[in-house]
Amino acid sequence: MTFKPAEWPRKLRSQEWYGGTSRDVIYHRGWMKNQGYPHDLFDGRPVIGIMNTWSDLTPCNGHLRELAEKVKAGIWEAGGFPVEVPAFSASENTFRPTAMMFRNLAALSIEEQMRGQPIDGAVLLVGCDKTTPSLLMAAASTDLPSIVVTGGPMLNGYFQGERVGSGTHLWKFSEAVKAGVMTQEEFLEAEQSMSRSSGTCNTMGTASSMASMAEALGMALSGNAAIPAVDSRRRVMAQMSGRRIVQMVKDDLKPSDILTKQAFENAIRTNGAIGGSTNAVVHLLAIAGRVGIDLTLDDWDRCGRDVATIVNLMPSGKYLMEEFFYAGGLPVVLKRLAEEELLHKEALTVSGLTMWEEVKEAVNHNVDVILPLENALTDQGGIAVVKGNLAPAGAVLKPSAASPHLLQHRGRAVVFEDIDDYKARIEDDDLDIDETCVMVLKNCGPKGYPGMSEVGNMGLPPKILKKGITDMVRISDARMSGTAYGTVVLHTAPEAAAGGPLAVVQNGDMIELDVPARRLHLDISDEELATRLAAWEPTHDRAPSGYAWLHQHHVEGADTGADLDFLKGCRGSPVGKDSH
Ligand code: FES
């Protein structure tokens, strides 16, 4: 894409607050001077907001204040004026009922922070799963020049000489304890080994996937995604990004220049190649909705279908993000996609260069981590979108994390009405279930939970685990942690709490999953389905007031990104009135 930089110098939006001699300007500028800023800093140079999702309760982002100092250094060096702004931070591992319920609230609050304050451009300082999409959504809606800097993944975990992946081994170890092959004491001993340093999950979970999405979309400098949090090069990346955003403001290089349909197609294919998280589906759909790009679930299936997964990282493979970085990181993957004609080479990036210009010199330093095509983990690594009378608007499954023998399966439904019902009955030895059954979990979607929790990879009953069986077909309207695995059908839409067909599945119904045919079928007649749907009444209105109410009443389906209906679209960044 050809981008024509704007003329410089010109008047920036921050001058509406800081430029001139009016009473209002003296009021705004004078208050800033109580921090000791010299007068000439208000001379029209770019004011850059460092939107920082640091929080002690988001430990994945716990080092971002330190990293912000490097961003500031870069901004100063390039002649900008950095201002650090605390941004809503929803930790995946802490926030209840689920961090996903707050992705849209974070996006809303950050959008208004960007629009309502004297900011000409923004550095989006993010890391944990929801922080990356929420800030990207905000930037897309304001369309102010923005650049993503992620905090980077933790170092490899090790326990008893083996690699331990964030999340992935939490699920594995907890099932090993239930199966009686690991002691509770060993599980506790393994706890510290999972989190050896600052940073985000060290697997190709949602945080690493979204860092990769930001880079593949062109919204982060090349190479950003994989650098470990504690590597000195992470700090260099922060400083370089600080320098770059100042020039982006001068050039007026905006998210809408970068976030094109081609950019989203690049990101979808990249997600297939890295074996990325199913969560990327809802996040990219939501970001696209903020810039008015017509991106659908069908695009996910179309673009991802023929992409081989070549990144050998957990949960699909065996290595971790540290090794991905040493192997060359995402630029190697993007170059490979380009060589296969699966990348829009001309897509613009925040550097002002095209994607191809950024990645063409990338070198693979470890072919066991970034695999040659002939050794790919799977030939069809993209997200599979299945449809049928059980999911008229679609549901998703990650083939690279599923068991091949279950990708075509017909089984008897064992139904859990909600997560509480599941928790109450799953360990009951009298539960009528065997490994050929299909586990069905309802009322965990965007409205139902509320917030669409990561409970779709529900653990198997202990009596089945004890037989050495580790996977069964599971279907829900929930999400799944990007660090998880299994033959798990997720995001079923419309969701149960909105009266989708999932709501009327009954124990004993037969369900057919055929991933190669992209089909998910409830084996009852059309008449029977219509009768059940007509008799259905909502049972999961759990949010009488507050933000939860707002969310439950305005959230859209997972098939369109689960954004709030009134937040979709780009509202720009016009400077509002001052009331003084
Ligand atoms: Fe925060 Fe994984 S839980 S990055």
Side-chain angles (χ1 to χ4, degrees), residues 194-492:
M194 295 181 195
S195 309
R196 283 184 54 223
S197 74
S198 293
T200 52
C201 287
N202 56 21
T203 41
M204 188 52 82
T206 304
S208 298
S209 298
M210 289 312 299
S212 300
M213 293 299 90
E215 189 173 328
L217 283 167
M219 288 298 294
L221 288 180
S222 188
N224 170 78
I227 308 170
V230 295
D231 193 296
S232 55
R233 285 161 284 190
R234 172 60 56 193
R235 286 178 277 164
V236 174
M237 176 58 71
Q239 193 157 337
M240 299 305 287
S241 300
R243 290 181 188 174
R244 179 61 200 157
I245 187 64
V246 176
Q247 190 60 43
M248 286 174 69
V249 169
K250 291 179 179 174
D251 292 347
D252 200 25
L253 176 53
K254 304 180 295 299
S256 59
D257 297 313
I258 297 168
L259 295 173
T260 59
K261 180 85 181 227
Q262 287 74 20
F264 283 99
E265 291 184 347
N266 282 349
I268 290 171
R269 292 192 172 112
T270 302
N271 199 56
I274 62 177
S277 168
T278 47
N279 284 322
V281 178
V282 277
H283 298 326
L284 257 57
L285 290 173
I287 296 164
R290 297 301 186 100
V291 275
I293 297 291
D294 181 24
L295 192 74
T296 66
L297 272 183
D298 292 336
D299 290 317
W300 273 90
D301 199 74
R302 175 181 58 82
C303 294
R305 194 177 269 252
D306 297 325
V307 179
T309 299
I310 55 169
V311 176
N312 190 7
L313 257 59
M314 298 180 203
S316 302
K318 73 175 184 185
Y319 292 106
L320 294 166
M321 286 297 287
E322 195 181 332
E323 284 132 336
F324 185 41
F325 173 58
Y326 302 147
L330 200 69
V332 177
V333 178
L334 292 164
K335 182 183 179 187
R336 172 74 60 76
L337 287 170
E339 289 168 344
E340 291 170 49
E341 306 292 330
L342 291 173
L343 196 82
H344 298 289
K345 291 180 176 177
E346 70 286 3
L348 188 63
T349 76
V350 284
S351 69
L353 300 176
T354 65
M355 188 59 78
W356 178 243
E357 287 169 327
E358 284 290 357
V359 304
K360 64 185 178 188
E361 307 293 346
V363 176
N364 186 357
H365 299 293
N366 190 332
V367 293
D368 199 35
V369 175
I370 305 175
L371 302 162
L373 259 188
E374 55 274 21
N375 290 342
L377 292 180
T378 170
D379 290 340
Q380 296 209 338
I383 303 293
V385 178
V386 292
K387 291 186 177 175
N389 67 350
L390 187 46
V396 305
L397 176 139
K398 182 176 170 182
S400 64
S403 301
H405 72 282
L406 290 174
L407 293 176
Q408 287 175 299
H409 183 79
R410 176 181 161 89
R412 171 171 63 86
V414 175
V415 176
F416 302 97
E417 291 299 325
D418 56 28
I419 191 65
D420 297 325
D421 183 33
Y422 164 79
K423 286 180 181 167
R425 295 194 292 128
I426 192 64
E427 301 202 358
D428 184 349
D429 276 345
D430 292 332
L431 182 66
D432 182 16
I433 190 169
D434 63 39
E435 57 272 27
T436 67
C437 291
V438 174
M439 296 168 69
V440 175
L441 177 61
K442 304 177 182 175
N443 293 305
C444 292
K447 288 180 189 295
Y449 197 76
M452 204 184 179
S453 184
E454 290 186 335
V455 294
N457 57 315
M458 54 193 130
L460 306 192
K463 67 179 181 182
I464 290 179
L465 290 170
K466 282 178 187 151
K467 290 194 226 172
I469 289 163
T470 55
D471 196 11
M472 289 172 62
V473 174
R474 288 157 273 178
I475 299 172
S476 73
D477 46 12
R479 294 177 303 121
M480 170 173 88
S481 165
T483 61
Y485 46 84
T487 312
V488 187
V489 178
L490 303 153
H491 310 187
T492 302

Side-chain angles (χ1 to χ4, degrees), residues 60 92-93 128-129 200-201 207:
C60 331
E92 196 61 35
N93 49 53
C128 193
D129 300 17
T200 52
C201 287

Side-chain angles (χ1 to χ4, degrees), residues 51 62 68 88 164 233 273 279 302 456 514 540:
M51 315 308 287
F88 190 108
V164 171
R233 285 161 284 190
N279 284 322
R302 175 181 58 82
D514 186 344
H540 282 70

